[in-house]
Amino acid sequence: MAQMWAGRFQKDLDNKVNDFNSSIKVDGRMFESDIKGSIAHATMLGKQKIISLEDSKLIVKTLLEILDDIKAGKLALDPNAEDIHMFIEQELTNRIGEVGKRLHTSRSRNDQVALDIRLYLRDEVSATIELINNIIATIIDLANENKETIMPGYTHLQRAQPITFANHILAYGFMLKRDIERLKDANKRMNYSPLGSCALAGTTYPIDRDYVANELGFSGIVNNSLDGVSDRDFTIELASCSSICMMHLSRLCEEIIMWCSWEFKFVELDDAYSTGSSIMPQKKNPDICELIRGKTGRVYGDLITLLTMLKGLPLAYNKDMQEDKEAIFDSLDTLKQCLSILNPMLKTMKINKDNMRKAAAMGFINATDLADYLVKKGMAFRSAYKISGQIVAYCIDHNLILEDVPLDVYKEYSDLFSQDVYQYIDLNNATFKRTSKGASAINSVDEQIKILRG
Ligand code: ARG
């Protein structure tokens, strides 16, 4: 099949070259953005009298028909077309002949592709934000249901201090909130129209770039024609936002994998969201979490693909840039897929409150509180810290927990100890007296939920 640009060529393209060169299998999904961009361009051409108003109207009407036909499944994308831009333009020309050939006046595929990808990704960003918001809502529900669920907080994966599950899970809510802010911020920089950059050097036609930008809901135009067609920073920014968000999901998944193990048994996944083993009948595996953790690597790979693809390119457009779409689409598709599956899994996950509490009751996670008790009675923190450490060593030797050490033993270490020490180091008390902002006390958790909702 002869290409639309076949003017100076004497031979058809070799089939293998056509397959290699064609991007429609990847960029076909941008058909709606492409048509919207062409409608805005054609309208501007008519308004500026670059083509007649009549031709402009016919082009717009036909483009809308093409859009309807693709959506209704009446018009299939030709897998042999070079890309979505060529396909739509060819279809337009098939339908209205010479008039269709006027659409490409003062336009290049270079600015067309730069436009389409921005329009397409703008919608993708909104869809991704919605999915992240759904998970934040689930996290808020989990926090509300677990304000009194005491669990051990860890550092170095060693039991450290008592916290509530509400406080723990809310940490992920705030990470995801930052992910949304990052996406919105990247979107702000992406939301400028490159259309009118043309191939690279602008045009001699009296085009109105601002009009087109406004029609398409952009904040303005890309100010430099070479930058307009060569900038793919926004794909890198979005792939980076996507990588960071995947990293957050992966950390959460890693914790859930641990919490599902017999060693922890803090949570149990719903049968619908776990898998069995082909040989070991007792197994219930957290495959979803493992896949999300695994796919994180692939999303990082997409980011590296984009950074590497761009780093050596001279201005302006180079065909290397066609590779951008496969990487950024994969990055956001994977993220969206992970977000969609994680949400119902979290919603149906059973929290084993008793097991969390049991684990919190061991491991001396109230040792800091024991030291704080002495500090409240007037001792310097370092000295109190040392004495508490010695009492912990005593407990380990005698197979006791701090709550069970007799008062006379406490008094051997310091005469500041009295009966009220037991109340002070009590697990509930130790957890809920942490009333500082951001901590586990119920008021602090309520405040966090309010901020996260806000
Ligand atoms: N399919 C191309 C891409 O995605 C469109 C731009 C082609 N421009 C060109 N001069 N070959 O990058």
Side-chain angles (χ1 to χ4, degrees):
M1 183 186 72
Q3 306 293 332
M4 287 180 86
W5 39 251
R8 65 161 287 188
F9 290 79
Q10 264 128 43
K11 274 190 192 171
D12 278 358
L13 203 56
D14 181 278
N15 278 342
K16 279 205 193 72
V17 174
N18 192 44
D19 286 347
F20 186 65
N21 197 42
S22 164
S23 58
I24 193 161
K25 289 191 189 80
V26 176
D27 60 34
R29 59 161 92 185
M30 302 195 302
F31 68 88
E32 189 159 3
S33 306
D34 194 74
I35 292 177
K36 276 189 188 162
S38 291
I39 288 175
H41 180 67
T43 311
M44 182 277 290
L45 292 179
K47 177 183 93 66
Q48 296 298 99
K49 302 194 173 46
I50 298 169
I51 64 174
S52 73
L53 219 47
E54 203 189 349
D55 285 352
S56 157
K57 283 190 178 145
L58 181 59
I59 292 173
V60 170
K61 179 174 158 282
T62 314
L63 284 169
L64 286 170
E65 285 163 7
I66 293 174
L67 178 60
D68 284 348
D69 287 352
I70 298 177
K71 281 188 171 170
K74 283 194 220 150
L75 173 63
L77 304 186
D78 174 4
N80 293 315
E82 191 177 329
D83 54 33
I84 189 63
H85 327 291
M86 288 305 209
F87 173 77
I88 305 275
E89 195 186 332
Q90 183 68 60
E91 182 62 26
L92 181 73
T93 306
N94 292 347
R95 293 188 184 198
I96 55 175
E98 285 301 303
V99 178
K101 294 185 188 172
R102 296 192 188 279
L103 171 65
H104 212 53
T105 317
S106 73
R107 185 176 78 166
S108 154
R109 261 190 305 158
N110 297 349
D111 53 2
Q112 208 178 339
V113 68
L115 174 90
D116 291 5
I117 187 170
R118 284 165 194 259
L119 285 177
Y120 181 84
L121 290 176
R122 203 165 68 181
D123 290 343
E124 287 295 284
V125 166
S126 308
T128 309
I129 289 176
E130 195 180 319
L131 292 171
I132 299 178
N133 267 324
N134 293 344
I135 299 206
I136 293 180
T138 303
I139 286 177
I140 290 176
D141 288 345
L142 278 168
N144 271 320
E145 288 153 21
N146 289 284
K147 285 185 203 167
E148 293 181 43
T149 309
I150 296 178
M151 69 180 281
Y154 297 83
T155 63
H156 312 271
L157 202 53
Q158 303 283 320
R159 289 175 192 155
Q161 289 181 349
I163 56 168
T164 59
F165 183 65
N167 203 20
H168 192 113
I169 199 73
L170 281 172
Y172 287 101
F174 285 102
M175 295 177 215
L176 292 171
K177 191 176 159 80
R178 289 197 296 279
D179 290 330
I180 291 181
E181 283 163 12
R182 258 184 285 274
L183 282 165
K184 285 185 178 165
D185 196 53
N187 194 48
K188 256 190 236 156
R189 272 182 296 282
M190 177 171 75
N191 199 28
Y192 287 88
S193 171
L195 211 59
S197 300
C198 304
L200 77 161
T203 178
T204 52
Y205 292 97
I207 58 171
D208 185 346
R209 291 190 61 197
D210 298 291
Y211 171 85
V212 174
N214 196 41
E215 284 288 286
L216 293 168
F218 286 109
S219 310
I221 60 164
V222 177
N223 289 311
N224 179 284
S225 61
L226 285 93
D227 191 34
V229 286
S230 341
D231 169 26
R232 294 292 185 276
D233 293 4
F234 53 89
T235 63
I236 295 175
E237 285 199 54
L238 290 181
S240 159
C241 296
S242 180
S243 297
I244 295 172
C245 188
M246 283 298 295
M247 177 273 291
H248 290 149
L249 301 188
S250 184
R251 288 183 79 173
L252 173 58
C253 286
E254 168 64 17
E255 295 215 272
I256 295 173
I257 292 165
M258 271 183 341
W259 293 340
C260 285
S261 71
W262 281 100
E263 284 69 17
F264 279 80
K265 276 282 160 216
F266 282 3
V267 300
E268 188 177 343
L269 296 179
D270 193 85
D271 282 359
Y273 293 96
S274 3
T275 50
S277 153
S278 60
I279 174 169
M280 296 165 283
Q282 83 284 12
K283 291 290 283 294
K284 188 168 171 187
N285 295 330
D287 285 27
I288 292 179
C289 294
E290 292 166 28
L291 275 172
I292 293 176
R293 193 176 57 183
K295 284 177 191 290
T296 302
R298 153 180 179 173
V299 171
Y300 291 179
D302 291 326
L303 172 62
I304 297 297
T305 298
L306 290 163
L307 284 165
T308 313
M309 179 272 284
L310 278 165
K311 82 179 178 63
L313 300 187
L315 297 182
Y317 178 84
N318 300 267
K319 191 76 170 202
D320 314 45
M321 290 160 88
Q322 181 164 285
E323 293 288 309
D324 63 352
K325 283 168 285 303
E326 208 167 333
I328 190 61
F329 292 169
D330 181 70
S331 171
L332 292 172
D333 288 351
T334 308
L335 174 62
K336 286 194 304 175
Q337 194 189 22
C338 292
L339 290 165
S340 310
I341 194 91
L342 186 61
N343 192 35
M345 193 203 78
L346 284 179
K347 264 187 206 274
T348 52
M349 182 172 80
K350 197 173 144 275
I351 311 298
N352 292 332
K353 301 184 182 188
D354 289 349
N355 286 349
M356 287 189 178
R357 199 191 161 92
K358 267 186 222 147
M362 297 178 321
F364 306 104
I365 64 174
N366 46 2
T368 316
D369 300 275
L370 189 67
D372 288 344
Y373 171 85
L374 291 173
V375 170
K376 288 248 156 77
K377 299 260 163 159
M379 193 180 282
F381 180 75
R382 272 291 156 232
S383 313
Y385 169 91
K386 191 170 172 201
I387 288 179
S388 300
Q390 287 164 347
I391 298 173
V392 166
Y394 172 90
C395 286
I396 292 169
D397 277 355
H398 294 81
N399 202 16
L400 287 173
I401 58 172
L402 292 172
E403 288 89 326
D404 296 339
V405 174
L407 188 57
D408 52 338
V409 175
Y410 271 128
K411 281 189 179 298
E412 279 171 31
Y413 288 91
S414 164
D415 49 19
L416 291 175
F417 280 115
S418 60
Q419 188 61 35
D420 59 354
V421 65
Y422 297 104
Q423 153 74 9
Y424 201 84
I425 61 170
D426 169 77
L427 201 51
N428 270 338
N429 191 45
T431 311
F432 296 114
K433 74 176 183 312
R434 290 182 150 78
T435 52
S436 54
K437 286 188 176 178
S440 279
I442 303 217
N443 282 347
S444 310
V445 163
D446 282 341
E447 186 63 22
Q448 293 183 49
I449 292 175
K450 216 168 100 197
I451 295 168
L452 195 52
R453 275 217 178 96

